[in-house]
Amino acid sequence: MGQIEWAMWANEQALASGLILITGGIVATAGQFAQWYFGAYSIAAGVFICLLEYPRGKRKKGSTMERCGQKYMTAVVKLFGPLTRNYYVRAILHLLLAVPAGFLLATILGTACLAIASAIYLLAAIRGEQWTPIEPQPKERPQVGGTIKQPPSNPPPRPPAEARKKPSEEEEGAVGGPQVNPIPVTDEVV
Amino acid sequence: MGSWVVNHWFSVLFLAAWLGLNIFLFVQAFLNFEKNDKYYYTRQILGTALAVARASARCLNFNSMVILIPVCRNLLSFLRGSCSFCSRTLRKPLDHNLTFHKLVAYMICALTAIHVIAHLFNFENYSRSQQAPAGSLASALSSLSHHEKEGGSWLNPIQSPDMTVMYVTFTTIAGLTGVIITLALILIVTSATEFIRRNYFEVFWYTHHLFFVYILCLVLHGIGGIVRGQTEKSMHESHPQKCAESFQKWDNNDSGCRRPQFEGNPAESWKWILAPFILYIFERILRFCRSQQKVVITKVVKHPSKVLELQLNKHGFSMEVGQYIFVNCPSISLLEWHPFTLTSAPEEDFFSIHVRVAGDWTENLIKVFEQQHSPMPRIKVDGPFGTVSEDVFQYEVAVLIGAGIGVTPFASILKSIWYKFQREDHNLKTQKIYFYWICRETGAFAWFNDLLASLEQEMEELGKVGFLNYRLFLTGWDNNIAGHAALNFDKATDILTGLKQKTFFGRPMWDNEFSTIATAHPKSVVGVFLCGPRTLAKSLRKCCHRYSSLDPRKVQFYFNKENF
């Protein structure tokens, strides 16, 4: 189990918890349950958690599949620097956010899920994992004219480019200054 | 569109039946709880949320029953084997067992959400009616337990105004098991997302075993009898239609109406899931027994590109082409079983797998075998299990496409062809095989070289050069390699592989390939087999549909994808 990045699973779990908190909160608020204001809190906390957890961090090895449209949130989350990079901070944050929702039955499921996510994040932090943003790869524009090579400096018949580059291996053809054929050349067109 | 229907009619029918059953069960349960007089008084407190919760519960039972069946690999293999006389289209859905399992899982999640939300409303309503003003029907119903001498005839589980919803949830069997079961479900789902499954398989595999907790809690969930309806006797004496209005007079002995008596509904989840659960336990025992059989490692070959070949032997093991096995190595991990396609042919006296580094377990496996001085680690094997490649010889023309390590099932097929030719097996329906291998780096070709080289020779000797058409595509080429190839254009054999067939660079143009095949075989049924990435599957599927003619007598392309 050496290569497991617990933070990745914690991220999925936290995102799910956020959605559950929002759902529970909506049910409690819309149904005007007793102590429904915890439900209102739960919606706000859920939205915040979803926004925080939406951008997936970069895996240590291999390529990471981004979530659809996550680059906007990545930019925002990146701004907070060590607060969002460090998983200890996230573990404590999630634990604190989970507590108020635990007072209402409709949202207690969200509390439990978020607490589990917090525990997994703690495990990730202990193992030294960190959140690194997925940077968009700069698209390499082919430079106009960059692929145009120098026109051949020898008249035909010419040896292939490979042989031309390694003068020690060439068996025929000319190398050196332009228009100089050290070996007399005859036309070999068939 | 036409050929899609022809290919998939059975799957569509099956899904329609499953969906239809879900809808039927939901509506039936809903109407029962919404209209039945037995629940008249219950409805007075709870409203429609009662029916919604019960209907979703019924569907949850059904789906929990169904979800276990697609993962009984041995049962499915047995079905596939015993149905060999069935047409292709009937057996194909067995390949999609995992897709169906996921579909049922999504349905369970959706129904769980509905069920939980409905019960949140139910509990809230029970709580409100407990605190309702005295003199209302709700209050009368909620205080039933106070008046009865024999306990158990209550309706409202919230027995006093001080009892909170939270308290009831965690002190009743239904509430507690409900919370545990939902938590287990959420953990199973979050660890089973595609991202986690593909990259951190162990997390998925271990967490998924929480389903035992799910099933246990599901069976216990209904034991408390918290859903209450009026007893038969009480309905006979004081029918709600005539007695509900006069609830203030229930105490009076001469009103003709007595206080209603209630009883809880018995638990019914166990009735649904008992049979599939036993089937699944049987499946696990079978897997365990098979794994205990001794496996002998006859040969270990290290190939370039970090590919390890293991040749194994097990008493009583028999396989078909393209099947796969599950491998466990106790010295690496006691509980993990990983799937590998068999690369040997059934005609050989051993069976082999080629293992590539793809994560923790595979890396450790290769390391363990690299240490030559220590004793050979013990290996356990379960299987073989069948996938589509078994069908390849049933097609007149077969198009085999493997991307990278996805060529392994086809290694088995090609080897089998070689043996069948040697023994001049006339049962081969296959007249022609087109084999495409798409690979990124040249090193990965090495272990397959010998096989292709000997096949080339074999074809020449038997004078059947046209039987096997293979094309190798190198997608990770650079200028250097292309330069080399151009330089050696005139040579008879390919510089990279040493084979007569030259290596192509870049990806194949499928439209060209398919139209060539369609023109060459205008009246045949062509099976297209892919083991590779999803994007490739999409384009191949499109080509299959495009080049299949609508007339079933003309060329037909059937697409089969293997997946883990």
Side-chain angles (χ1 to χ4, degrees), chain B residues 9-211:
Chain B
W9 66 268
F10 188 72
S11 302
V12 174
L13 197 64
F14 185 78
L15 282 175
W18 169 72
L19 210 56
L21 265 173
N22 269 301
I23 294 174
F24 169 73
L25 288 167
F26 190 93
V27 170
Q28 190 198 36
F30 185 86
L31 289 176
N32 180 31
F33 280 87
E34 188 71 358
K35 302 284 178 204
N36 198 334
D37 281 331
K38 186 173 174 192
Y39 304 103
Y40 182 87
Y41 289 116
T42 327
R43 278 199 300 277
Q44 292 304 308
I45 301 183
L46 298 178
T48 314
L50 168 72
V52 172
R54 297 310 311 152
S56 56
R58 166 87 57 94
C59 286
L60 275 170
N61 282 336
F62 171 63
N63 283 304
S64 301
M65 169 181 89
V66 167
I67 201 169
L68 280 174
I69 297 174
V71 284
C72 294
R73 299 195 276 265
N74 284 300
L75 170 70
L76 294 179
S77 263
F78 174 72
L79 275 178
R80 172 190 287 276
S82 54
C83 286
S84 48
F85 52 85
C86 290
S87 79
R88 232 170 279 126
T89 10
L90 284 180
R91 276 179 294 147
K92 262 164 74 70
L94 290 173
D95 306 335
H96 305 302
N97 58 333
L98 288 180
T99 316
F100 184 60
H101 179 84
K102 286 182 223 171
L103 196 61
V104 177
Y106 289 137
M107 182 64 104
I108 287 182
C109 289
L111 288 169
T112 304
I114 296 174
H115 185 77
V116 169
I117 291 175
H119 271 320
L120 283 173
F121 277 103
N122 285 339
F123 269 14
E124 190 68 19
N125 283 327
Y126 269 140
S127 176
R128 281 186 194 157
S129 76
Q130 179 59 249
Q131 292 155 0
S136 60
L137 176 58
S139 164
L141 288 171
S142 301
S143 54
L144 282 173
S145 53
H146 298 166
H147 301 274
E148 295 302 312
K149 284 177 206 93
E150 68 266 2
S153 186
W154 47 273
L155 174 59
N156 193 335
I158 300 183
Q159 308 267 319
S160 77
D162 297 326
M163 230 192 247
T164 56
V165 214
M166 198 75 88
Y167 179 82
V168 174
T169 306
F170 288 99
T171 51
T172 48
I173 296 178
L176 193 59
T177 51
V179 173
I180 296 175
I181 205 176
T182 317
L183 270 177
L185 182 67
I186 292 170
L187 283 171
I188 289 176
V189 168
T190 54
S191 64
T193 57
E194 178 102 27
F195 183 69
I196 302 280
R197 212 173 61 239
R198 295 244 175 248
N199 299 320
Y200 313 106
F201 190 80
E202 291 91 359
V203 172
F204 156 69
W205 181 246
Y206 287 126
T207 321
H208 226 68
H209 284 81
L210 276 173
F211 76 87

Side-chain angles (χ1 to χ4, degrees), chain A residues 169-186:
Chain A
E169 288 181 20
E170 72 176 58
E171 297 166 357
E172 53 167 324
V175 118
Q179 277 86 39
V180 173
N181 289 338
I183 300 169
V185 171
T186 54

Side-chain angles (χ1 to χ4, degrees), chain B residues 170-313:
Chain B
F170 288 99
T171 51
T172 48
I173 296 178
L176 193 59
T177 51
V179 173
I180 296 175
I181 205 176
T182 317
L183 270 177
L185 182 67
I186 292 170
L187 283 171
I188 289 176
V189 168
T190 54
S191 64
T193 57
E194 178 102 27
F195 183 69
I196 302 280
R197 212 173 61 239
R198 295 244 175 248
N199 299 320
Y200 313 106
F201 190 80
E202 291 91 359
V203 172
F204 156 69
W205 181 246
Y206 287 126
T207 321
H208 226 68
H209 284 81
L210 276 173
F211 76 87
F212 280 111
V213 171
Y214 176 91
I215 288 176
L216 179 68
C217 289
L218 182 63
V219 168
L220 295 173
H221 192 56
I223 285 182
I226 205 172
V227 177
R228 324 234 351 140
Q230 205 173 356
T231 57
E232 280 287 322
K233 184 163 162 268
S234 175
M235 296 251 292
H236 193 67
E237 288 173 346
S238 357
H239 199 272
Q241 297 287 5
K242 68 175 166 91
C243 288
E245 279 162 26
S246 52
F247 63 89
Q248 277 130 346
K249 299 199 206 110
W250 282 342
D251 277 328
N252 304 348
N253 283 341
D254 52 346
S255 64
C257 279
R258 301 267 180 82
R259 246 185 232 103
Q261 309 272 326
F262 293 96
E263 60 182 357
N265 283 350
E268 56 168 43
S269 294
W270 67 270
K271 293 180 202 165
W272 292 88
I273 57 176
L274 190 64
F277 187 64
I278 289 177
L279 209 63
Y280 184 75
I281 294 290
F282 186 63
E283 156 88 26
R284 288 302 279 251
I285 292 175
L286 189 63
R287 285 188 208 173
F288 179 73
C289 286
R290 286 170 113 184
S291 72
Q292 291 301 100
Q293 293 169 314
K294 192 154 187 282
V295 174
V296 176
I297 305 174
T298 52
K299 202 170 176 187
V300 177
V301 184
K302 247 186 74 183
H303 294 283
S305 274
K306 288 192 152 192
V307 173
L308 181 78
E309 177 184 348
L310 286 176
Q311 291 184 3
L312 309 160
N313 225 323

Side-chain angles (χ1 to χ4, degrees), chain B residues 208-507:
Chain B
H208 226 68
H209 284 81
L210 276 173
F211 76 87
F212 280 111
V213 171
Y214 176 91
I215 288 176
L216 179 68
C217 289
L218 182 63
V219 168
L220 295 173
H221 192 56
I223 285 182
I226 205 172
V227 177
R228 324 234 351 140
Q230 205 173 356
T231 57
E232 280 287 322
K233 184 163 162 268
S234 175
M235 296 251 292
H236 193 67
E237 288 173 346
S238 357
H239 199 272
Q241 297 287 5
K242 68 175 166 91
C243 288
E245 279 162 26
S246 52
F247 63 89
Q248 277 130 346
K249 299 199 206 110
W250 282 342
D251 277 328
N252 304 348
N253 283 341
D254 52 346
S255 64
C257 279
R258 301 267 180 82
R259 246 185 232 103
Q261 309 272 326
F262 293 96
E263 60 182 357
N265 283 350
E268 56 168 43
S269 294
W270 67 270
K271 293 180 202 165
W272 292 88
I273 57 176
L274 190 64
F277 187 64
I278 289 177
L279 209 63
Y280 184 75
I281 294 290
F282 186 63
E283 156 88 26
R284 288 302 279 251
I285 292 175
L286 189 63
R287 285 188 208 173
F288 179 73
C289 286
R290 286 170 113 184
S291 72
Q292 291 301 100
Q293 293 169 314
K294 192 154 187 282
V295 174
V296 176
I297 305 174
T298 52
K299 202 170 176 187
V300 177
V301 184
K302 247 186 74 183
H303 294 283
S305 274
K306 288 192 152 192
V307 173
L308 181 78
E309 177 184 348
L310 286 176
Q311 291 184 3
L312 309 160
N313 225 323
K314 187 167 119 163
H315 180 68
F317 185 91
S318 79
M319 57 168 279
E320 297 288 323
V321 283
Q323 291 196 294
Y324 64 96
I325 53 171
F326 274 78
V327 175
N328 170 291
C329 187
S331 54
I332 300 176
S333 166
L334 269 180
L335 295 176
E336 291 174 36
W337 289 83
H338 292 258
F340 292 98
T341 311
L342 290 162
T343 46
S344 55
E347 289 87 355
E348 292 172 316
D349 55 2
F350 60 87
F351 61 96
S352 71
I353 55 171
H354 281 70
V355 180
R356 179 185 69 117
V357 171
D360 271 347
W361 192 87
T362 37
E363 189 165 329
N364 285 332
L365 186 76
I366 292 180
K367 253 193 234 152
V368 150
F369 277 100
E370 270 173 9
Q371 297 158 0
Q372 284 151 1
H373 41 270
S374 38
M376 221 41 122
R378 180 151 169 248
I379 294 269
K380 288 194 204 172
V381 159
D382 183 28
F385 301 107
T387 59
V388 209
S389 313
E390 280 183 315
D391 301 336
V392 82
F393 294 118
Q394 310 295 322
Y395 290 93
E396 274 176 65
V397 180
V399 177
L400 313 175
I401 301 146
I405 198 73
V407 77
T408 35
F410 305 125
S412 169
I413 293 170
L414 290 176
K415 279 196 208 171
S416 187
I417 294 172
W418 184 40
Y419 285 109
K420 282 187 163 66
F421 262 144
Q422 279 198 319
R423 299 171 193 181
E424 291 183 1
D425 186 347
H426 296 289
N427 288 336
L428 262 189
K429 262 199 212 159
T430 321
Q431 302 292 317
K432 202 149 178 100
I433 295 188
Y434 294 90
F435 176 59
Y436 297 87
W437 191 9
I438 306 159
C439 207
R440 210 171 285 167
E441 38 159 5
T442 56
F445 281 122
W447 67 270
F448 208 56
N449 258 348
D450 293 334
L451 174 66
L452 286 178
S454 55
L455 274 177
E456 252 182 343
Q457 208 183 3
E458 174 87 0
M459 302 299 160
E460 275 183 21
E461 281 172 18
L462 289 182
K464 281 227 184 174
V465 189
F467 178 76
L468 173 65
N469 276 304
Y470 61 88
R471 309 240 161 84
L472 306 174
F473 288 85
L474 190 61
T475 51
W477 59 278
D478 59 16
N479 276 332
N480 238 342
I481 299 178
H484 269 288
L487 198 59
N488 295 301
F489 188 70
D490 294 333
K491 287 223 187 96
T493 54
D494 187 60
I495 36 152
L496 289 169
T497 57
L499 296 167
K500 293 251 172 70
Q501 180 65 256
K502 292 295 176 109
T503 311
F504 287 76
F505 294 98
R507 295 200 190 116

